[in-house]
Amino acid sequence: MWAGKLGNFFIVLSFAAALLSTISYFFAARNPLDLSWRKLGRIGYRPHSIGVLRNVSTLFFMLYNHYFEYQYVWQHSNMSMKMKYIFSCFWEGQEGSFLLWTFWNAIIGNILIKTAKNFEASVMFIVSFVQVLLASMLLG
């Protein structure tokens, strides 16, 4: 049961860090001259991204090792599947699809942090807010 508890911890971490990032980027967008909010938004977005990456790796680990005690693994995979089908099991179910969207949005958010410059606060407010919504669906 350690894999499920680990995955749950990273979902909670991801949600809390995305919420911190959203609030910080909101205040950074309202006051562009105060760089401390933008810095706090970046600090919040990094653990969120790490949490999402750990969630993805935990789900792949559970699928690859056939941890059938978890409903998602039991419903979407079996022992006779080839690796390419186990890989596609990741996004087959609703939770996996939400996690896949969260993963790609986290990648886009990290790219935007590096490239958005003057628009970082306003754009990252939206991206991190979407991440909060996606993480809440994974928590739910």
Side-chain angles (χ1 to χ4, degrees):
M1 298 309 255
W2 65 270
K5 292 185 186 292
L6 186 66
N8 193 32
F9 168 76
F10 285 122
I11 288 172
V12 171
L13 172 70
S14 168
F15 176 76
L19 189 60
L20 171 67
S21 183
T22 301
I23 292 168
S24 300
Y25 277 122
F26 174 76
F27 287 117
R30 292 186 82 200
N31 189 2
L33 299 178
D34 187 8
L35 298 178
S36 62
W37 285 110
R38 188 171 73 178
K39 183 177 179 181
L40 186 60
R42 288 178 178 177
I43 289 171
Y45 203 79
R46 291 195 203 302
H48 164 70
S49 299
I50 291 168
V52 168
L53 190 62
R54 297 292 185 194
N55 277 326
V56 168
S57 61
T58 301
L59 183 57
F60 272 128
F61 178 80
M62 291 190 305
L63 285 167
Y64 183 75
N65 292 307
H66 307 292
Y67 282 20
F68 292 122
E69 60 265 24
Y70 296 102
Q71 183 179 0
Y72 190 86
V73 177
W74 179 74
Q75 285 181 336
H76 301 288
S77 70
N78 62 47
M79 298 287 282
S80 64
M81 286 181 155
K82 295 180 183 176
M83 185 56 198
K84 63 183 176 182
Y85 299 119
I86 290 175
F87 180 72
S88 68
C89 285
F90 176 79
W91 60 82
E92 182 182 0
Q94 184 178 20
E95 299 89 352
S97 296
F98 286 146
L99 188 55
L100 185 67
W101 276 101
T102 305
F103 172 75
W104 285 115
N105 278 329
I107 298 294
I108 289 170
N110 282 307
I111 291 170
L112 287 171
I113 286 173
K114 298 285 186 203
T115 61
K117 305 286 184 218
N118 296 335
F119 300 108
E120 178 185 347
S122 57
V123 172
M124 284 304 297
F125 165 67
I126 300 299
V127 170
S128 59
F129 181 66
V130 168
Q131 293 292 77
V132 167
L133 295 177
L134 287 168
S136 71
M137 289 181 211
L138 291 171
L139 279 174

